[in-house]
Amino acid sequence: MAILSLLNQASGPLPLSATFTAPSDAPACLVLSGSVWSQAANQIIGVTLELDGVPIGAASICSNGAATHRAVFTSNMPVTLTFGSHTISLLPSNGSTISDQNDFFEVVLQY
């Protein structure tokens, strides 16, 4: 299986985006990881991944403490791309999710 890095330790804040050329039209998988935080305790926070403007999944975590950067659980999202140019975007999953320059994000395409 080959890997194409789309975002490599990209520093926040969100939103972030990247454009790439699909190397295959076979089934593949986008893998998302990163960190975010919340100003309030006991919040579900996370990162939503969009492919060509359509949400395809998210990576989330429950943050029990306030104002602490939390790594979201790595999320694998199956995709079948068409050859050509595509855009991924990372967005806060909800209004409780905050990111800044101390948060980093990784998106890879496994194909």
Side-chain angles (χ1 to χ4, degrees):
M1 179 171 282
I3 295 175
L4 176 63
S5 180
L6 306 179
L7 289 174
N8 184 8
Q9 295 298 305
S11 178
L14 297 176
L16 294 171
S17 63
T19 300
F20 67 101
T21 301
S24 172
D25 64 351
C29 185
L30 285 167
V31 182
L32 165 64
S33 61
S35 64
V36 289
W37 60 283
S38 178
Q39 290 182 340
N42 301 317
Q43 301 292 312
I44 301 293
I45 55 177
V47 181
T48 296
L49 175 62
E50 291 184 349
L51 176 62
D52 297 328
V54 177
I56 63 166
S60 303
I61 192 164
C62 179
S63 181
N64 293 330
T68 301
H69 294 265
R70 306 282 183 191
V72 295
F73 285 93
T74 300
S75 185
N76 297 280
M77 290 156 256
V79 295
T80 300
L81 302 169
T82 56
F83 284 111
S85 181
H86 298 277
T87 300
I88 56 159
S89 299
L90 301 182
L91 308 162
S93 290
N94 56 42
S96 297
T97 301
I98 301 171
S99 63
D100 59 29
Q101 73 278 2
N102 298 308
D103 294 296
F104 297 88
F105 303 91
E106 182 90 17
V107 179
V108 298
L109 176 67
Q110 296 177 336
Y111 64 99

